Amino acid sequence: MKNLLLYIRSFFYFLPNILEALFSKPETIAYPAVTHKPPAGYRGSVRIIAENCIGCGLCVRDCPSAALKLEKDSKQSFRLIHYRDRCTSCGQCELSCKFNSIYLDNTYEEAFSKRKAFIEVLVNKTENK
Amino acid sequence: MNLFNIFIRIFIFPGFLFMLILALFLHWLDRKLIARFQGRVGPPWYQPLADLVKLFAKEDILPSGTNQYFAAILPLISFASVLTASFYLPIAIQSAPSFQGDFIVLMFLLSMPSLMYFLAGWVTQGVYSIIGGNRSLLQYFSYEVLFLLAMSGTAIASGSWALTDIRLTQIKESPFIFPQIIGFFLSLAGLIGKLKREPFDIPKAKSEVIAGALTEFSGKKLALWYLTIQLQTVVGLSFLIHCFFSGLWQMNTIIGFFIFLLFLIILQCALSAISAIYARLRIDQLIHLNWHIFIPLTLLHNIYILLK
Amino acid sequence: MNTEKAAIELRDVLNLDKSTTKQIPFNEVEISIPKQQLLLAVNTILKSGIWHLSAITCQQLEDDFILLYHFWKSGGLTLQIRLDEKKPQVDSICPLIPGAEYYEREAREMFGIEFLGLPNPVPLLLPDDWQGGYPMRKKEQPSYDKTEGDDLLEKGKSS
Amino acid sequence: MSKITVPIGPQHPLLKEPLSFLVSLEGEKVTDSVLRLGYVHRGIEKLAEQRTYIQNIYLIERICGICSHIHSTTYCQSVEALLKLKVPKRGLYIRMLLCELERIHSHLLWLGVLAKNIGLNTLFMYAWRDREIVLNIMEEISGGRVSHSVNVIGGVQVNLNESHLSLLQQNLQKLNTRVKEILRSIENDRSFQARTQKIGHLSLEDIKRYCVVGPVARASGLDIDIRRDAPYAAYDELNFEVPVMTEGDVWARSILRVLETLQAIRLCVQIINNLPDGPVSIPAPRRVPAGEVVSRAEAPRGEVFYYVRSDGSQNPARLKVRTPTLTTLITLPGQLKNMQLADVSAIIAGVDLCIACGDR
């Protein structure tokens, strides 16, 4: 019998919680319609300032998931290739780069249908003489 | 009543179509309320209909070796029995066919789906379905009995087994909700046990036995099962309202009909609140709660009515 | 620190000289003991009130195996055992500390070390039908399908 | 009675991660159960031997989705010990702040999973709604909701400015009231007690035999906590209590974890109030001198153990990780003996399995 009274007591104990939740705004958002704005410091996808890059490869050496590749023909002409599908947005390239040319912005919605679309040539410097 | 009137009575107004719409509406209300209790947005109004349409379109497969006909008949029988039960309930029309003893017929028709649920588990022979079926059998014997005993309190008070007599005595004296408040709550608990709703939904516990006896069903059969459960809620609740509240409004009037709908919605909110608050009880706690607390209370309550 | 005291006491029981003990960071005392005296050493440690075995590390140094038994009681005590590569065998300490069963099973399937008396010598992490040898041994190189940009991993390693 | 073997198989609503559990039943009573691991084994220790110390930071974080920061903290502090680096105080404080925030996040996530397994969906939603507050704080500070990649060898790569501190101050206040509310509702909810009391019992003697760590051990009366017994980072400058209970069943573990969450919030507030200023990290050389180190830390699930041996090159020669979940997994078949099938879901949720941690 005590058991039943305890059940009834916990009913009236919990009732104010659910009523308060009932009349307050719901916490969830309908995602595709309403998007969640990430904070400024959010580490999203890799971007680059091509002028500062001198092709030293510091970022390529430290990337944990081999998402960066440097094809260097000579001192002036080289290409920095970024494999977006392998990148885990850890921010180590931004840390290792001494010329602050590579950085992470806070975009996170990125989907492509073909695998090729994930590969992006960040820097493409050719012999301009 | 001429043929056309009967056709309307059975298929359109208080019959098939109206019950379906009411069932879908109450099911949506239930899911929306629980969602809002939990701080979620909740489904749009057409969600239950969309689920059914999707299920009807889905492929209907069964494990190899199950008896195809048996598995097809079970959802049909339970769906038909709940629908015929809805014809005996005078929701807004005075002249519902009523005879001495239709209280028992209604009780039997409402308990058919639970039996079919157990057989469905036995037919499909899945590991989870057998365990789900066994559990629903245990629950069938305890909570159907509770529902029958608690509701028969009103029949005893009105001295006859006919629904219209129950209603007439309530109009003469006072609605049974006031003298038999305990009987009302016990029959509500019995209804929750019968519908296998939240605190007593161990037979279809998502975390242990996936979907219990319905694990192997899909497509049209599963849609029928879900429709049966939703219809059973509506018929059960209107049965409860008829036996405990029917003196509060005059039949066959528009206002009476809307008051009836209002009571239906209030009771559905109560069911949703109960299912939002309690955790799922184990099968032995369920049986213990029923046979050690609810049944003795109901018997005492009925004896008290008899002596009064 | 009672792990210090336990280490000294252990050395007396096994009459080892001072050179076998070594201090490594985060106040850990490491004693290397011969293979035969393992059960005796674990018994004395248990008797001196240290029951918590944190882990059993197994590794390959030059060409023989090293087993490290890490005990802990608000300070670390590690037993080091050296096994030769041909027939790495040691007796299991599961009868004394049932908690060591998973660590011994993992060392067995990853390095191929035989633990005599291991309750159920079933692989812990690798699938039952694994024929890929002992993956954690030095000469075993992980084989995974090459995807574009994979050669960078090797380059990352060598530079 | 009919003898059925129920596969709580690799893919099951009870489990967040793949783990195979063959539970053989007699009627409703569990007779014995066979546990099978290895579905999420990625061979991280082998991979770590082919990467440089810097690349390993981000590999080590992928061992576990929920306690990623504690893994990278233990790893970085062991490499710093090999390099004999003196990490600046502010870096240590920020590192501890994220450790405690991750403990709150892990405990609230666990509470939601337990509530869902025993059918109390409302508590599941409330627990995960409050967890969003912590996730937003972590997203604001470190730029990542779950894997924060905040640690570098020699300190932290993130700094806290005024706006972060004020955001932390008011959100932790809100979180404190919410978690107290949850504690009050757990203690008074009869159906929650009915489903969690007196099941999955572990005696103190079992705890010692199986070397169990973390909240599961503290709920059976064993008073250990690495943060207090062998303080790492700067835990010796903070004061906090370690809740210990003695019943040793799922109920005691639930209460204990919520109390620990409250303690973690108290720690976070202390960290913010006396955050020292100065640099957050110092540069570290790429080659680590030869040596070996053993380092331990208090993960949300207990003592996490790291052994790193370096041979002077850029790659670790051996990296051994022992996660706390392995110690609780070994006791599961014992706890499940002659329990009901319905209790299996509460017990599996009670020990807070992080299977990705266990399999590495």
PDB file of all heavy atoms in Angstrom, chain B residues 37-38 40 128 135 198 206-208 276-277 279-280 282 285, chain D residues 7 12 14 28 117-120 122 125-126 191 194-195 343:
ATOM      1  N   PHE B  37       5.789  18.117 -23.126  1.00  0.00           N
ATOM      2  CA  PHE B  37       6.197  17.882 -21.725  1.00  0.00           C
ATOM      3  C   PHE B  37       7.710  17.754 -21.640  1.00  0.00           C
ATOM      4  O   PHE B  37       8.324  18.118 -20.653  1.00  0.00           O
ATOM      5  CB  PHE B  37       5.559  16.571 -21.211  1.00  0.00           C
ATOM      6  CG  PHE B  37       4.099  16.700 -20.898  1.00  0.00           C
ATOM      7  CD1 PHE B  37       3.248  15.612 -21.039  1.00  0.00           C
ATOM      8  CD2 PHE B  37       3.565  17.915 -20.478  1.00  0.00           C
ATOM      9  CE1 PHE B  37       1.894  15.734 -20.756  1.00  0.00           C
ATOM     10  CE2 PHE B  37       2.224  18.039 -20.199  1.00  0.00           C
ATOM     11  CZ  PHE B  37       1.387  16.932 -20.347  1.00  0.00           C
ATOM     12  N   GLN B  38       8.304  17.176 -22.714  1.00  0.00           N
ATOM     13  CA  GLN B  38       9.744  16.942 -22.656  1.00  0.00           C
ATOM     14  C   GLN B  38      10.535  18.088 -23.274  1.00  0.00           C
ATOM     15  O   GLN B  38      11.718  17.944 -23.541  1.00  0.00           O
ATOM     16  CB  GLN B  38      10.074  15.634 -23.383  1.00  0.00           C
ATOM     17  CG  GLN B  38       9.463  14.437 -22.707  1.00  0.00           C
ATOM     18  CD  GLN B  38       9.525  13.194 -23.572  1.00  0.00           C
ATOM     19  OE1 GLN B  38       9.914  13.243 -24.722  1.00  0.00           O
ATOM     20  NE2 GLN B  38       9.113  12.081 -23.018  1.00  0.00           N
ATOM     21  N   ARG B  40      10.220  19.331 -26.273  1.00  0.00           N
ATOM     22  CA  ARG B  40      10.510  19.185 -27.710  1.00  0.00           C
ATOM     23  C   ARG B  40       9.407  19.853 -28.535  1.00  0.00           C
ATOM     24  O   ARG B  40       8.308  20.082 -28.021  1.00  0.00           O
ATOM     25  CB  ARG B  40      10.558  17.691 -28.091  1.00  0.00           C
ATOM     26  CG  ARG B  40      11.731  16.973 -27.488  1.00  0.00           C
ATOM     27  CD  ARG B  40      11.809  15.527 -27.973  1.00  0.00           C
ATOM     28  NE  ARG B  40      10.826  14.676 -27.326  1.00  0.00           N
ATOM     29  CZ  ARG B  40       9.876  14.008 -27.978  1.00  0.00           C
ATOM     30  NH1 ARG B  40       9.769  14.147 -29.276  1.00  0.00           N
ATOM     31  NH2 ARG B  40       9.012  13.241 -27.336  1.00  0.00           N
ATOM     32  N   TYR B 128      12.448 -12.027 -29.946  1.00  0.00           N
ATOM     33  CA  TYR B 128      11.832 -10.913 -29.200  1.00  0.00           C
ATOM     34  C   TYR B 128      10.313 -11.063 -29.202  1.00  0.00           C
ATOM     35  O   TYR B 128       9.644 -10.725 -28.226  1.00  0.00           O
ATOM     36  CB  TYR B 128      12.236  -9.581 -29.851  1.00  0.00           C
ATOM     37  CG  TYR B 128      13.725  -9.353 -29.847  1.00  0.00           C
ATOM     38  CD1 TYR B 128      14.424  -9.129 -31.016  1.00  0.00           C
ATOM     39  CD2 TYR B 128      14.447  -9.406 -28.652  1.00  0.00           C
ATOM     40  CE1 TYR B 128      15.793  -8.924 -30.999  1.00  0.00           C
ATOM     41  CE2 TYR B 128      15.818  -9.201 -28.624  1.00  0.00           C
ATOM     42  CZ  TYR B 128      16.482  -8.965 -29.817  1.00  0.00           C
ATOM     43  OH  TYR B 128      17.830  -8.758 -29.802  1.00  0.00           O
ATOM     44  N   ARG B 135       5.049 -11.926 -22.213  1.00  0.00           N
ATOM     45  CA  ARG B 135       4.795 -10.830 -21.260  1.00  0.00           C
ATOM     46  C   ARG B 135       3.395 -10.263 -21.450  1.00  0.00           C
ATOM     47  O   ARG B 135       2.694  -9.958 -20.483  1.00  0.00           O
ATOM     48  CB  ARG B 135       5.825  -9.715 -21.482  1.00  0.00           C
ATOM     49  CG  ARG B 135       7.201 -10.059 -20.973  1.00  0.00           C
ATOM     50  CD  ARG B 135       8.114  -8.893 -21.200  1.00  0.00           C
ATOM     51  NE  ARG B 135       9.451  -9.141 -20.652  1.00  0.00           N
ATOM     52  CZ  ARG B 135      10.454  -8.291 -20.833  1.00  0.00           C
ATOM     53  NH1 ARG B 135      10.261  -7.191 -21.532  1.00  0.00           N
ATOM     54  NH2 ARG B 135      11.642  -8.542 -20.318  1.00  0.00           N
ATOM     55  N   GLU B 198       2.653   3.727 -21.379  1.00  0.00           N
ATOM     56  CA  GLU B 198       3.997   3.928 -20.831  1.00  0.00           C
ATOM     57  C   GLU B 198       4.305   3.177 -19.539  1.00  0.00           C
ATOM     58  O   GLU B 198       5.165   2.297 -19.566  1.00  0.00           O
ATOM     59  CB  GLU B 198       4.259   5.426 -20.646  1.00  0.00           C
ATOM     60  CG  GLU B 198       5.725   5.749 -20.465  1.00  0.00           C
ATOM     61  CD  GLU B 198       6.619   5.258 -21.567  1.00  0.00           C
ATOM     62  OE1 GLU B 198       6.298   5.568 -22.731  1.00  0.00           O
ATOM     63  OE2 GLU B 198       7.572   4.522 -21.296  1.00  0.00           O
ATOM     64  N   LYS B 206      10.910  -0.881 -25.827  1.00  0.00           N
ATOM     65  CA  LYS B 206      11.851  -0.695 -26.943  1.00  0.00           C
ATOM     66  C   LYS B 206      13.241  -1.200 -26.556  1.00  0.00           C
ATOM     67  O   LYS B 206      13.988  -1.714 -27.359  1.00  0.00           O
ATOM     68  CB  LYS B 206      11.935   0.792 -27.305  1.00  0.00           C
ATOM     69  CG  LYS B 206      10.938   1.215 -28.385  1.00  0.00           C
ATOM     70  CD  LYS B 206      11.180   2.616 -28.838  1.00  0.00           C
ATOM     71  CE  LYS B 206      10.719   3.620 -27.768  1.00  0.00           C
ATOM     72  NZ  LYS B 206       9.278   3.449 -27.481  1.00  0.00           N
ATOM     73  N   SER B 207      13.614  -1.046 -25.246  1.00  0.00           N
ATOM     74  CA  SER B 207      15.033  -1.287 -24.953  1.00  0.00           C
ATOM     75  C   SER B 207      15.309  -2.777 -24.764  1.00  0.00           C
ATOM     76  O   SER B 207      16.452  -3.184 -24.850  1.00  0.00           O
ATOM     77  CB  SER B 207      15.416  -0.541 -23.689  1.00  0.00           C
ATOM     78  OG  SER B 207      14.580  -0.994 -22.641  1.00  0.00           O
ATOM     79  N   GLU B 208      14.304  -3.617 -24.462  1.00  0.00           N
ATOM     80  CA  GLU B 208      14.667  -5.027 -24.270  1.00  0.00           C
ATOM     81  C   GLU B 208      14.177  -5.861 -25.431  1.00  0.00           C
ATOM     82  O   GLU B 208      14.924  -6.646 -26.007  1.00  0.00           O
ATOM     83  CB  GLU B 208      14.028  -5.592 -22.985  1.00  0.00           C
ATOM     84  CG  GLU B 208      14.553  -5.041 -21.711  1.00  0.00           C
ATOM     85  CD  GLU B 208      13.444  -4.376 -20.919  1.00  0.00           C
ATOM     86  OE1 GLU B 208      12.366  -4.978 -20.831  1.00  0.00           O
ATOM     87  OE2 GLU B 208      13.653  -3.262 -20.443  1.00  0.00           O
ATOM     88  N   ALA B 276       4.279  10.350 -19.350  1.00  0.00           N
ATOM     89  CA  ALA B 276       5.504  11.174 -19.369  1.00  0.00           C
ATOM     90  C   ALA B 276       6.218  11.088 -18.029  1.00  0.00           C
ATOM     91  O   ALA B 276       7.423  11.310 -17.956  1.00  0.00           O
ATOM     92  CB  ALA B 276       5.157  12.632 -19.665  1.00  0.00           C
ATOM     93  N   ILE B 277       5.479  10.752 -16.957  1.00  0.00           N
ATOM     94  CA  ILE B 277       6.091  10.880 -15.625  1.00  0.00           C
ATOM     95  C   ILE B 277       6.754   9.589 -15.192  1.00  0.00           C
ATOM     96  O   ILE B 277       7.854   9.594 -14.640  1.00  0.00           O
ATOM     97  CB  ILE B 277       5.016  11.321 -14.613  1.00  0.00           C
ATOM     98  CG1 ILE B 277       4.758  12.814 -14.796  1.00  0.00           C
ATOM     99  CG2 ILE B 277       5.410  11.017 -13.197  1.00  0.00           C
ATOM    100  CD1 ILE B 277       3.700  13.365 -13.939  1.00  0.00           C
ATOM    101  N   ALA B 279       8.529   5.728 -15.109  1.00  0.00           N
ATOM    102  CA  ALA B 279       9.425   4.855 -15.882  1.00  0.00           C
ATOM    103  C   ALA B 279       8.705   3.528 -16.104  1.00  0.00           C
ATOM    104  O   ALA B 279       7.692   3.237 -15.450  1.00  0.00           O
ATOM    105  CB  ALA B 279      10.703   4.612 -15.099  1.00  0.00           C
ATOM    106  N   ARG B 280       9.216   2.713 -16.996  1.00  0.00           N
ATOM    107  CA  ARG B 280       8.565   1.434 -17.339  1.00  0.00           C
ATOM    108  C   ARG B 280       8.836   0.454 -16.188  1.00  0.00           C
ATOM    109  O   ARG B 280       9.957   0.324 -15.716  1.00  0.00           O
ATOM    110  CB  ARG B 280       9.226   0.912 -18.624  1.00  0.00           C
ATOM    111  CG  ARG B 280       8.638  -0.351 -19.147  1.00  0.00           C
ATOM    112  CD  ARG B 280       9.392  -0.803 -20.384  1.00  0.00           C
ATOM    113  NE  ARG B 280       9.472   0.219 -21.413  1.00  0.00           N
ATOM    114  CZ  ARG B 280      10.620   0.638 -21.935  1.00  0.00           C
ATOM    115  NH1 ARG B 280      11.759   0.125 -21.515  1.00  0.00           N
ATOM    116  NH2 ARG B 280      10.625   1.561 -22.860  1.00  0.00           N
ATOM    117  N   ARG B 282       8.983  -3.278 -14.287  1.00  0.00           N
ATOM    118  CA  ARG B 282       9.300  -4.657 -14.662  1.00  0.00           C
ATOM    119  C   ARG B 282       8.033  -5.494 -14.598  1.00  0.00           C
ATOM    120  O   ARG B 282       7.059  -5.150 -13.941  1.00  0.00           O
ATOM    121  CB  ARG B 282      10.311  -5.245 -13.668  1.00  0.00           C
ATOM    122  CG  ARG B 282      11.744  -4.918 -13.949  1.00  0.00           C
ATOM    123  CD  ARG B 282      12.653  -5.917 -13.242  1.00  0.00           C
ATOM    124  NE  ARG B 282      12.193  -6.198 -11.889  1.00  0.00           N
ATOM    125  CZ  ARG B 282      12.789  -5.743 -10.785  1.00  0.00           C
ATOM    126  NH1 ARG B 282      13.816  -4.939 -10.905  1.00  0.00           N
ATOM    127  NH2 ARG B 282      12.347  -6.041  -9.592  1.00  0.00           N
ATOM    128  N   GLN B 285       7.031  -6.420 -11.065  1.00  0.00           N
ATOM    129  CA  GLN B 285       6.466  -5.288 -10.301  1.00  0.00           C
ATOM    130  C   GLN B 285       5.045  -4.994 -10.778  1.00  0.00           C
ATOM    131  O   GLN B 285       4.145  -4.657 -10.014  1.00  0.00           O
ATOM    132  CB  GLN B 285       7.347  -4.048 -10.505  1.00  0.00           C
ATOM    133  CG  GLN B 285       8.677  -4.162  -9.801  1.00  0.00           C
ATOM    134  CD  GLN B 285       9.670  -3.115 -10.303  1.00  0.00           C
ATOM    135  OE1 GLN B 285       9.472  -2.559 -11.387  1.00  0.00           O
ATOM    136  NE2 GLN B 285      10.695  -2.868  -9.537  1.00  0.00           N
TER     137      GLN B 285
ATOM    138  N   PRO D   7      20.167 -12.492 -28.056  1.00  0.00           N
ATOM    139  CA  PRO D   7      21.398 -11.779 -28.431  1.00  0.00           C
ATOM    140  C   PRO D   7      21.219 -10.288 -28.220  1.00  0.00           C
ATOM    141  O   PRO D   7      20.427  -9.660 -28.916  1.00  0.00           O
ATOM    142  CB  PRO D   7      21.535 -12.101 -29.919  1.00  0.00           C
ATOM    143  CG  PRO D   7      20.135 -12.292 -30.399  1.00  0.00           C
ATOM    144  CD  PRO D   7      19.304 -12.756 -29.229  1.00  0.00           C
ATOM    145  N   HIS D  12      21.912  -2.847 -31.085  1.00  0.00           N
ATOM    146  CA  HIS D  12      20.754  -3.067 -30.210  1.00  0.00           C
ATOM    147  C   HIS D  12      20.386  -1.723 -29.594  1.00  0.00           C
ATOM    148  O   HIS D  12      21.281  -0.939 -29.279  1.00  0.00           O
ATOM    149  CB  HIS D  12      21.140  -4.076 -29.123  1.00  0.00           C
ATOM    150  CG  HIS D  12      19.949  -4.576 -28.354  1.00  0.00           C
ATOM    151  ND1 HIS D  12      19.457  -3.913 -27.264  1.00  0.00           N
ATOM    152  CD2 HIS D  12      19.162  -5.652 -28.547  1.00  0.00           C
ATOM    153  CE1 HIS D  12      18.404  -4.572 -26.797  1.00  0.00           C
ATOM    154  NE2 HIS D  12      18.209  -5.637 -27.551  1.00  0.00           N
ATOM    155  N   LEU D  14      19.732  -0.938 -26.757  1.00  0.00           N
ATOM    156  CA  LEU D  14      20.306  -0.714 -25.424  1.00  0.00           C
ATOM    157  C   LEU D  14      21.694  -0.095 -25.513  1.00  0.00           C
ATOM    158  O   LEU D  14      22.102   0.636 -24.617  1.00  0.00           O
ATOM    159  CB  LEU D  14      20.484  -2.067 -24.731  1.00  0.00           C
ATOM    160  CG  LEU D  14      19.392  -2.562 -23.818  1.00  0.00           C
ATOM    161  CD1 LEU D  14      19.858  -3.861 -23.171  1.00  0.00           C
ATOM    162  CD2 LEU D  14      19.116  -1.542 -22.747  1.00  0.00           C
ATOM    163  N   GLU D  28      12.249 -15.599 -17.415  1.00  0.00           N
ATOM    164  CA  GLU D  28      12.672 -14.193 -17.417  1.00  0.00           C
ATOM    165  C   GLU D  28      14.029 -14.033 -16.728  1.00  0.00           C
ATOM    166  O   GLU D  28      14.597 -12.964 -16.738  1.00  0.00           O
ATOM    167  CB  GLU D  28      11.634 -13.345 -16.638  1.00  0.00           C
ATOM    168  CG  GLU D  28      10.412 -13.000 -17.446  1.00  0.00           C
ATOM    169  CD  GLU D  28      10.680 -11.822 -18.428  1.00  0.00           C
ATOM    170  OE1 GLU D  28      11.619 -11.054 -18.167  1.00  0.00           O
ATOM    171  OE2 GLU D  28       9.962 -11.745 -19.422  1.00  0.00           O
ATOM    172  N   ASN D 117      16.849   3.788 -21.142  1.00  0.00           N
ATOM    173  CA  ASN D 117      16.817   2.316 -21.071  1.00  0.00           C
ATOM    174  C   ASN D 117      15.753   1.821 -20.116  1.00  0.00           C
ATOM    175  O   ASN D 117      15.216   0.737 -20.300  1.00  0.00           O
ATOM    176  CB  ASN D 117      18.184   1.790 -20.625  1.00  0.00           C
ATOM    177  CG  ASN D 117      19.149   1.775 -21.790  1.00  0.00           C
ATOM    178  OD1 ASN D 117      18.755   2.067 -22.915  1.00  0.00           O
ATOM    179  ND2 ASN D 117      20.392   1.471 -21.521  1.00  0.00           N
ATOM    180  N   ILE D 118      15.450   2.625 -19.065  1.00  0.00           N
ATOM    181  CA  ILE D 118      14.403   2.109 -18.152  1.00  0.00           C
ATOM    182  C   ILE D 118      13.061   2.734 -18.504  1.00  0.00           C
ATOM    183  O   ILE D 118      12.104   2.620 -17.756  1.00  0.00           O
ATOM    184  CB  ILE D 118      14.753   2.406 -16.674  1.00  0.00           C
ATOM    185  CG1 ILE D 118      14.875   3.896 -16.422  1.00  0.00           C
ATOM    186  CG2 ILE D 118      16.009   1.711 -16.257  1.00  0.00           C
ATOM    187  CD1 ILE D 118      14.980   4.227 -14.965  1.00  0.00           C
ATOM    188  N   GLY D 119      12.983   3.448 -19.643  1.00  0.00           N
ATOM    189  CA  GLY D 119      11.669   3.854 -20.100  1.00  0.00           C
ATOM    190  C   GLY D 119      11.241   5.228 -19.646  1.00  0.00           C
ATOM    191  O   GLY D 119      10.143   5.669 -19.968  1.00  0.00           O
ATOM    192  N   LEU D 120      12.101   5.950 -18.883  1.00  0.00           N
ATOM    193  CA  LEU D 120      11.689   7.279 -18.397  1.00  0.00           C
ATOM    194  C   LEU D 120      12.146   8.314 -19.424  1.00  0.00           C
ATOM    195  O   LEU D 120      13.165   8.980 -19.257  1.00  0.00           O
ATOM    196  CB  LEU D 120      12.358   7.528 -17.032  1.00  0.00           C
ATOM    197  CG  LEU D 120      11.834   8.700 -16.205  1.00  0.00           C
ATOM    198  CD1 LEU D 120      10.364   8.546 -15.932  1.00  0.00           C
ATOM    199  CD2 LEU D 120      12.587   8.797 -14.899  1.00  0.00           C
ATOM    200  N   THR D 122      11.146  11.202 -20.274  1.00  0.00           N
ATOM    201  CA  THR D 122      11.172  12.633 -19.921  1.00  0.00           C
ATOM    202  C   THR D 122      12.516  12.984 -19.286  1.00  0.00           C
ATOM    203  O   THR D 122      13.132  13.979 -19.645  1.00  0.00           O
ATOM    204  CB  THR D 122      10.033  12.888 -18.910  1.00  0.00           C
ATOM    205  OG1 THR D 122       8.922  12.126 -19.300  1.00  0.00           O
ATOM    206  CG2 THR D 122       9.673  14.331 -18.877  1.00  0.00           C
ATOM    207  N   MET D 125      15.128  13.331 -21.872  1.00  0.00           N
ATOM    208  CA  MET D 125      15.129  14.610 -22.596  1.00  0.00           C
ATOM    209  C   MET D 125      15.652  15.740 -21.703  1.00  0.00           C
ATOM    210  O   MET D 125      16.438  16.578 -22.138  1.00  0.00           O
ATOM    211  CB  MET D 125      13.689  14.944 -23.054  1.00  0.00           C
ATOM    212  CG  MET D 125      13.160  14.004 -24.095  1.00  0.00           C
ATOM    213  SD  MET D 125      14.150  14.066 -25.596  1.00  0.00           S
ATOM    214  CE  MET D 125      13.380  12.760 -26.530  1.00  0.00           C
ATOM    215  N   TYR D 126      15.266  15.705 -20.406  1.00  0.00           N
ATOM    216  CA  TYR D 126      15.743  16.799 -19.533  1.00  0.00           C
ATOM    217  C   TYR D 126      17.262  16.732 -19.383  1.00  0.00           C
ATOM    218  O   TYR D 126      17.964  17.735 -19.471  1.00  0.00           O
ATOM    219  CB  TYR D 126      15.078  16.683 -18.148  1.00  0.00           C
ATOM    220  CG  TYR D 126      13.607  17.069 -18.157  1.00  0.00           C
ATOM    221  CD1 TYR D 126      12.804  16.789 -17.062  1.00  0.00           C
ATOM    222  CD2 TYR D 126      13.035  17.671 -19.265  1.00  0.00           C
ATOM    223  CE1 TYR D 126      11.455  17.121 -17.077  1.00  0.00           C
ATOM    224  CE2 TYR D 126      11.701  17.995 -19.285  1.00  0.00           C
ATOM    225  CZ  TYR D 126      10.911  17.728 -18.188  1.00  0.00           C
ATOM    226  OH  TYR D 126       9.577  18.048 -18.203  1.00  0.00           O
ATOM    227  N   SER D 191       9.161   5.389  -9.438  1.00  0.00           N
ATOM    228  CA  SER D 191       9.336   4.394 -10.515  1.00  0.00           C
ATOM    229  C   SER D 191      10.814   4.316 -10.890  1.00  0.00           C
ATOM    230  O   SER D 191      11.320   3.239 -11.230  1.00  0.00           O
ATOM    231  CB  SER D 191       8.492   4.794 -11.722  1.00  0.00           C
ATOM    232  OG  SER D 191       8.880   6.078 -12.155  1.00  0.00           O
ATOM    233  N   ALA D 194      12.266   2.130  -8.292  1.00  0.00           N
ATOM    234  CA  ALA D 194      11.841   0.725  -8.422  1.00  0.00           C
ATOM    235  C   ALA D 194      12.694   0.017  -9.466  1.00  0.00           C
ATOM    236  O   ALA D 194      13.033  -1.155  -9.322  1.00  0.00           O
ATOM    237  CB  ALA D 194      10.370   0.676  -8.820  1.00  0.00           C
ATOM    238  N   ARG D 195      13.097   0.725 -10.539  1.00  0.00           N
ATOM    239  CA  ARG D 195      13.816   0.055 -11.625  1.00  0.00           C
ATOM    240  C   ARG D 195      15.318  -0.002 -11.380  1.00  0.00           C
ATOM    241  O   ARG D 195      16.040  -0.646 -12.107  1.00  0.00           O
ATOM    242  CB  ARG D 195      13.573   0.814 -12.951  1.00  0.00           C
ATOM    243  CG  ARG D 195      12.264   0.484 -13.592  1.00  0.00           C
ATOM    244  CD  ARG D 195      12.090  -0.983 -13.878  1.00  0.00           C
ATOM    245  NE  ARG D 195      13.074  -1.577 -14.763  1.00  0.00           N
ATOM    246  CZ  ARG D 195      13.008  -1.524 -16.095  1.00  0.00           C
ATOM    247  NH1 ARG D 195      12.020  -0.875 -16.652  1.00  0.00           N
ATOM    248  NH2 ARG D 195      13.912  -2.109 -16.849  1.00  0.00           N
ATOM    249  N   ASP D 343      15.967  -6.083 -16.101  1.00  0.00           N
ATOM    250  CA  ASP D 343      17.037  -5.418 -15.350  1.00  0.00           C
ATOM    251  C   ASP D 343      18.300  -5.309 -16.186  1.00  0.00           C
ATOM    252  O   ASP D 343      19.149  -4.453 -15.907  1.00  0.00           O
ATOM    253  CB  ASP D 343      17.369  -6.232 -14.080  1.00  0.00           C
ATOM    254  CG  ASP D 343      16.213  -6.151 -13.116  1.00  0.00           C
ATOM    255  OD1 ASP D 343      15.467  -5.165 -13.217  1.00  0.00           O
ATOM    256  OD2 ASP D 343      16.020  -7.067 -12.311  1.00  0.00           O
TER     257      ASP D 343
END
